[in-house]
Amino acid sequence: FEAAEAADFCLVVGSTGLVYPAALVPTTVARNGGAVVEVDPGSTEFGDEVATVRVKLGAVEGLTLLDALVRG
C-alpha cells in the first residue's frame, strides 16, 4: 500500500467497496489528501467520505466521459 499512501489520484471503476484489501486503496489515497474519482451507477461503500468526484454512470459511459474531459 506504499503506492496508495503516496498517490495524488485514484480512479475507482465499478467497485462496491466491499472487497478487501483492495477497498483500502481509495480510502488510503483520500486519507492522505489525494483525489478519488469513482465511476459507478449505484451506491458504494466509498461515498462522499472517500470520493472527491462521483460519476454515476456505468463503466463504459463514465470512462468515455472522463476521456473526453481530459482530452478536451
Side-chain angles (χ1 to χ4, degrees), residues 5-32:
E5 291 175 355
D8 295 323
F9 176 81
C10 179
L11 177 62
V12 180
V13 181
S15 174
T16 61
L18 295 173
V19 179
Y20 285 85
L24 294 174
V25 172
T27 303
T28 301
V29 172
R31 184 181 67 237
N32 289 307

Side-chain angles (χ1 to χ4, degrees), residues 33-60:
V36 176
V37 174
E38 177 184 27
V39 178
D40 195 293
S43 297
T44 70
E45 292 296 310
F46 299 122
D48 294 333
E49 299 81 35
V50 174
T52 309
V53 175
R54 296 180 78 198
V55 179
K56 292 198 153 242
L57 295 170
V60 171

